[in-house]
């Protein structure tokens, strides 16, 4: 059992608790799942970047319970949470005003809809993402930061950060953007790929002069405050080269580096096999 505020939690029973409990950050929905030492690895990538290879690498030798893409289901849940918060916080106004009649009888935060949201989120974590209650779990997803999700990426990632005690964000793509665009899975235009990469960079470093082309579109990519998980950038070529940035990835995740080079990327998305 572990303590989450005033609650004693079984390691197999993640619970959502109120903001007054002593969880990581004060927020509307706070999830204390499985234990305080748990690490979550959220591999947020571009399409055709070799992200499946990274999933295999992180899963190798049972380091992490890594899942594939979930079609952005947690983005949709983050949207629902945001809309719920806005609804219950709407001012009622005075009787007879437009605001009053538009928002009359709005449900309270203690209503059944909030309990349903909590239960649904808990089930996703326990049944879909970490069914064996591993101390490290995560997934890869290509839908964070690409149009139109660049408008809310900072908010969407902050929601991920509340799913466990030690969230870690890994932004991953290919060093050569044309390799992704020309891959069989890419099939998207150069502008979308470049915008998603700029969005990742804005999360890491804020909006810089280098992002002048996309400046007006990157404000939603920035995340500020204690609810924003730490993040690093990793390229597929870092793994192939076994360089310093690849070594830093493991220390960032607080995981042991692979004991061998058995997990190798294959096919047209690998740097040693450039697309024709």
């Amino acid at each position: 059992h572990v303590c989450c505020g005033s609650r004693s939690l079984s390691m197999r029973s993640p619970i959502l608790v109120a903001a007054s409990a002593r969880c990581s950050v004060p927020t509307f929905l706070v999830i204390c799942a499985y234990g305080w030492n748990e690490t979550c690895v959220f591999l947020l990538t571009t399409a055709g970047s070799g992200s499946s290879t990274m999933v295999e690498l992180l899963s190798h030798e049972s380091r992490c319970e890594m899942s594939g893409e979930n079609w952005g289901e947690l983005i949709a849940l983050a949207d629902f949470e945001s809309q719920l918060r806005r609804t219950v916080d709407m001012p009622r106004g005075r009787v007879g005003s437009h605001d009053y009649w538009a928002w009359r009888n709005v449900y309270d935060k203690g209503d059944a809809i909030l309990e349903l949201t909590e239960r649904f989120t808990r089930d996703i974590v326990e049944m879909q993402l970490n069914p064996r209650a591993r101390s490290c779990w995560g997934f890869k997803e290509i839908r964070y930061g690409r149009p139109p999700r660049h408008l809310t990426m900072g908010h969407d990632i902050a929601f991920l950060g509340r799913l466990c005690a030690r969230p870690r964000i890994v932004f991953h793509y290919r060093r050569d953007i044309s390799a992704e665009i020309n891959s069989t899975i890419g099939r998207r235009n150069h502008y979308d790929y470049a915008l998603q990469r700029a969005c990742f960079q804005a999360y890491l470093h804020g909006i810089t002069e280098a992002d002048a082309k996309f400046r007006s579109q990157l404000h939603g990519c920035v995340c500020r405050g204690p609810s924003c998980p730490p993040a690093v950038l990793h390229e597929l070529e870092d793994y192939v080269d076994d360089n310093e940035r690849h070594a830093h990835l493991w220390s960032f995740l607080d995981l042991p580096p692979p004991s061998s080079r058995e997990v190798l990327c294959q096919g047209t998305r690998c740097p040693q096999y450039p697309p024709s």
Side-chain angles (χ1 to χ4, degrees):
H1 284 71
V2 295
C3 177
C4 180
S6 61
R7 302 170 185 242
S8 180
L9 306 182
S10 166
M11 295 295 282
R12 288 292 298 165
S13 302
I15 301 293
L16 283 153
V17 296
S20 59
R22 291 174 294 172
C23 288
S24 56
V25 292
T27 185
F28 184 51
L29 294 180
V30 180
I31 302 173
C32 298
Y34 301 108
W36 287 111
N37 293 322
E38 178 194 23
T39 299
C40 300
V41 181
F42 301 116
L43 185 65
L44 309 184
T45 79
T46 51
S49 64
S51 56
S52 296
T53 293
M54 293 303 299
V55 169
E56 292 301 316
L57 183 64
L58 288 162
S59 302
H60 196 50
E61 300 173 6
S62 300
R63 282 180 178 78
C64 258
E65 181 82 32
M66 291 296 295
S67 305
E69 297 169 32
N70 51 51
W71 207 261
E73 66 179 2
L74 293 176
I75 295 178
L77 191 59
D79 278 346
F80 178 73
E81 179 209 9
S82 177
Q83 292 162 8
L84 177 62
R85 186 196 312 209
R86 290 170 58 191
T87 299
V88 299
D89 288 343
M90 280 300 297
R92 301 306 188 269
R94 61 182 175 83
V95 175
S97 72
H98 172 77
D99 286 346
Y100 175 81
W101 294 111
W103 294 96
R104 67 177 301 174
N105 298 330
V106 174
Y107 43 79
D108 297 323
K109 290 181 181 180
D111 206 348
I113 192 70
L114 177 57
E115 181 182 347
L116 178 63
T117 306
E118 295 173 349
R119 188 182 309 132
F120 180 57
T121 308
R122 183 173 66 242
D123 288 345
I124 286 177
V125 173
E126 184 169 14
M127 298 173 61
Q128 291 183 247
L129 301 179
N130 193 14
R132 287 180 283 236
R134 295 269 179 83
S135 61
C136 178
W137 61 272
F139 60 83
K140 72 138 177 167
E141 184 58 75
I142 65 174
R143 291 163 180 83
Y144 286 80
R146 78 181 190 185
R149 298 312 312 186
H150 66 286
L151 299 173
T152 60
M153 192 186 78
H155 167 267
D156 298 338
I157 292 179
F159 183 83
L160 291 179
R162 302 197 293 271
L163 292 178
C164 73
R166 298 183 65 254
R168 295 292 183 267
I169 305 297
V170 179
F171 295 120
H172 174 84
Y173 50 69
R174 287 287 305 273
R175 194 168 298 160
D176 179 10
I177 191 171
S178 63
E180 295 177 356
I181 296 172
N182 295 331
S183 71
T184 56
I185 200 170
R187 303 191 191 96
R188 292 164 58 220
N189 62 54
H190 185 281
Y191 183 88
D192 286 352
Y193 273 94
L195 175 57
Q196 189 174 12
R197 289 168 177 241
C199 195
F200 290 169
Q201 291 288 347
Y203 184 98
L204 290 166
H205 307 297
I207 302 174
T208 66
E209 291 300 323
D211 302 316
K213 179 180 179 181
F214 303 106
R215 179 180 295 276
S216 63
Q217 302 185 61
L218 297 180
H219 296 286
C221 306
V222 178
C223 188
R224 298 183 178 89
S227 63
C228 303
V232 295
L233 174 65
H234 184 270
E235 297 173 346
L236 183 62
E237 288 82 357
D238 296 330
Y239 165 61
V240 174
D241 297 340
D242 198 17
N243 59 20
E244 183 177 345
R245 187 156 62 179
H246 182 67
H248 173 67
L249 174 67
W250 300 103
S251 60
F252 172 73
L253 299 177
D254 196 22
L255 293 172
S259 59
S260 69
R261 300 283 292 171
E262 292 178 3
V263 182
L264 299 176
C265 57
Q266 300 176 7
T268 59
R269 293 192 294 280
C270 287
Q272 61 266 51
Y273 300 104
S276 57

